[in-house]
Amino acid sequence: MLAASRDPIVAIATAPGRGAVGIVRVSGKGLAGFVQTLLCRALKPREATYLPFLDAAGQSIDHGLALWFPGPHSYTGEDVLELQGHGGPVVLQLLLARCLQVAQSADANGLPLLSGLRPARAGEFTERAFLNDKLDLAQAEAVADLIDASTEAAARSASRSLAGVFSERIHALRDALINLRMLVEATLDFPEEEIDFLKKADAEGQLARLRTALTDVQAQARQGALLRDGLKVVIAGQPNAGKSSLLNALAGAELAIVTSIAGTTRDVVQQTIQIEGVPLHVIDTAGLREGADVDEVEKIGIERAWGQIEGADAVLFLHDLTRCESADYQAADAAIAAALPMGVTVLQVWNKLDQSGAPQQAALADRLRAGDLAISAKSGDGIEGLRQGLLTLAGWQHAGDGLFMARERHLQALRRVAEHLGSAQTCLEARAEHLDLLAEELRLAQNSLSEITGEFSADDLLGEIFSRFCIGK
């Protein structure tokens, strides 16, 4: 739930564990008296001051830097105090306890010096930055995305979103939409006028340009979401097709045990790799087969393999070229293909190219023309082509330095905008008969856009977003 309270808050703002530096952060309104009592001196705004941090008895807890940011010129928009000391967990807990203790000490009027100071909830500092108009919601989410970025490209994209690149694109769409809404509302408000506001102002052209701009933003947002979330790729196939070898080849490390014994892989093995900055979560699974010789442990592994396939963004269906002419092998492959879930993207990959003979090579030509890939997980032949094939599967396109980070929530909102603008196009073509419906579709489109930046959001949505942040941020 979104906090209605304006209580001052305090938290350790650095990650748990030992480190060279640790930070305790306090945010609230009217912290000047609290700062004076805690540090036994006033601080100059935005200037680091080296001094001892003392306990109630005047003994030194630590020595470090104190920084004072009077609101609204701070991260949260409130008064903010940062104590930067040594990063030992005990030291930081002592500083945190001292802040809470000083807050309850009496001021000149006998009242608590900083009434209501409490430990911050996860994400509450950034939540306050949003509520105090220091960041919009897309920028606030970019803070968490920057912290969680798993690749350099993802970090750079999150930084651009934090700087407001994504928000600027959304605001441009919103401004164009507002202008179009004004034209429609004017036509509705003054029906007695003979001036056709919509035709004179080229409303159809404005709507067409707006939809084109939206399509461009959607394309970039999909790329940003891909950088953030990556793609879940499951390697599937019969035993001994080379699935574990392929995982090792893609990861560049010996992650999975490789033997010629069927059923060696009994459980899923996962590794996140990156190709051109795009994170791919590659999962090796147990070989898919049936038979009396499949023991209970292997059955569990096969069940888990199918579970991973069900939730995959893409499946690498790995075939063994050295066995591809066997009728039994072909039948087993056909049974697996028939059981693959509908809607899952499947890339057909033929392995053991280095071990295949002339008959297999001849049969492979037709499959390659159909879009299949041939590789050798052992020698590395074709692995780079497979990497590029995975990027194509993911829908990755080089977007240059202007790419921003996006989330599934943003993609859903943009899809709703597109749907409403499509309905608006239909209403506009009907002219006067459906102008009231046109106005409503444009209003709904604007609301969906505003959900992205937080100008139109439910409290439960905000609570869900900020609860995923780390404490101290």
Side-chain angles (χ1 to χ4, degrees):
M1 290 295 292
L2 184 65
S5 171
R6 295 293 87 205
D7 293 340
I9 54 176
V10 60
I12 298 171
T14 39
R18 299 171 60 189
V21 177
I23 299 174
V24 173
R25 176 182 290 158
V26 186
S27 180
K29 295 181 179 178
L31 296 189
F34 167 81
V35 172
Q36 175 75 45
T37 303
L38 177 68
L39 301 177
C40 303
R41 61 182 295 177
L43 298 177
K44 293 182 179 179
R46 294 171 294 282
E47 183 176 302
T49 303
Y50 180 75
L51 74 177
F53 304 140
L54 305 177
D55 62 16
Q59 300 297 313
S60 175
I61 297 173
D62 194 5
H63 284 70
L65 298 176
L67 290 128
W68 167 238
F69 303 94
H73 306 295
S74 69
Y75 179 71
T76 64
E78 303 172 334
D79 293 345
V80 172
L81 173 68
E82 285 193 0
L83 305 178
Q84 301 183 3
H86 294 92
V90 174
V91 172
L92 294 175
Q93 287 294 337
L94 288 172
L95 286 176
L96 181 65
R98 178 58 179 157
C99 289
L100 293 167
Q101 182 184 40
V102 169
Q104 296 305 313
S105 62
D107 61 12
N109 299 316
L111 300 174
L113 194 62
L114 191 57
S115 179
L117 181 67
R118 59 174 174 79
R121 294 180 290 102
E124 194 166 4
F125 288 94
T126 304
E127 180 185 284
R128 293 192 176 191
F130 165 70
L131 294 174
N132 293 322
D133 295 325
K134 304 297 290 186
L135 302 168
D136 66 29
L137 193 55
Q139 290 174 296
E141 290 171 306
V143 174
D145 293 337
L146 184 59
I147 294 170
D148 295 336
S150 59
T151 67
E152 179 182 349
R156 292 185 181 277
S157 296
S159 181
R160 282 189 282 272
S161 285
L162 179 56
V165 174
F166 185 28
S167 300
E168 288 172 2
R169 299 294 301 275
I170 298 303
H171 289 151
L173 290 174
R174 181 203 60 190
D175 292 345
L177 186 50
I178 289 174
N179 187 63
L180 186 56
R181 285 189 67 194
M182 287 191 302
L183 293 173
V184 175
E185 296 293 342
T187 304
L188 286 171
D189 289 342
F190 303 102
E192 69 281 359
E193 297 290 339
E194 295 182 357
I195 300 175
D196 186 349
F197 287 98
L198 299 182
K199 185 175 181 180
K200 184 176 180 180
D202 188 27
E204 290 187 0
Q206 288 192 41
L207 181 56
R209 289 189 290 274
L210 179 57
R211 296 181 71 185
T212 299
L214 174 64
T215 299
D216 182 52
V217 173
Q218 282 183 292
Q220 285 196 295
R222 282 192 292 269
Q223 300 295 294
L226 183 60
L227 278 181
R228 179 183 183 273
D229 299 323
L231 196 73
K232 180 180 177 181
V233 179
V234 174
I235 306 173
Q238 295 187 53
N240 288 337
K243 297 183 297 299
S244 297
S245 296
L246 178 55
L247 174 64
N248 292 341
L250 288 171
E254 296 298 318
L255 301 174
I257 298 173
V258 178
T259 75
S260 59
I261 302 172
T264 297
T265 301
R266 299 293 184 102
D267 204 351
V268 297
V269 180
Q270 177 172 329
Q271 177 68 20
T272 297
I273 65 173
Q274 59 168 301
I275 304 176
E276 297 183 14
V278 178
L280 297 178
H281 313 295
V282 185
I283 300 171
D284 176 25
T285 59
L288 304 175
R289 65 170 178 158
E290 297 178 352
D293 59 336
V294 178
D295 61 36
E296 289 301 315
V297 176
E298 189 178 353
K299 284 182 180 178
I300 294 172
I302 292 172
E303 289 176 1
R304 291 184 177 180
W306 282 112
Q308 292 293 333
I309 290 170
E310 288 283 348
D313 295 310
V315 172
L316 297 184
F317 191 175
L318 199 63
H319 308 277
D320 185 345
L321 268 174
T322 64
R323 292 183 283 165
C324 68
E325 294 183 319
S326 164
D328 290 343
Y329 187 82
Q330 291 176 9
D333 258 7
I336 294 172
L340 290 173
M342 297 290 292
V344 174
T345 302
V346 179
L347 183 62
Q348 308 288 343
V349 182
W350 296 85
N351 189 28
K352 304 185 182 180
L353 185 62
D354 56 320
Q355 301 175 39
S356 62
Q360 291 91 350
Q361 296 278 353
L364 182 60
D366 290 336
R367 298 188 179 103
L368 294 182
R369 281 193 290 270
D372 294 8
L373 295 176
I375 66 166
S376 169
K378 183 177 181 180
S379 69
D381 289 346
I383 295 298
E384 184 56 35
L386 176 58
R387 288 172 176 268
Q388 294 304 313
L390 287 172
L391 286 182
T392 301
L393 271 182
W396 176 249
Q397 300 171 355
H398 296 280
D401 292 334
L403 195 63
F404 47 76
M405 190 66 80
R407 298 184 171 203
E408 180 59 31
R409 181 183 77 83
H410 305 147
L411 298 182
Q412 291 175 3
L414 290 170
R415 281 194 289 269
R416 290 195 298 275
V417 175
E419 290 170 1
H420 289 306
L421 292 185
S423 298
Q425 180 70 46
T426 301
C427 295
L428 184 58
E429 291 170 355
R431 293 291 179 176
E433 292 83 355
H434 295 94
L435 285 185
D436 52 343
L437 296 178
L438 170 60
E440 178 63 10
E441 292 294 346
L442 294 178
R443 184 188 69 82
L444 293 173
Q446 184 180 340
N447 285 349
S448 295
L449 270 182
S450 297
E451 287 179 15
I452 295 174
T453 53
E455 296 160 276
F456 179 84
S457 295
D459 284 358
D460 56 351
L461 170 63
L462 299 181
E464 172 68 18
I465 289 171
F466 289 110
S467 68
R468 299 180 182 272
F469 280 57
C470 54
I471 294 190
K473 204 62 180 168

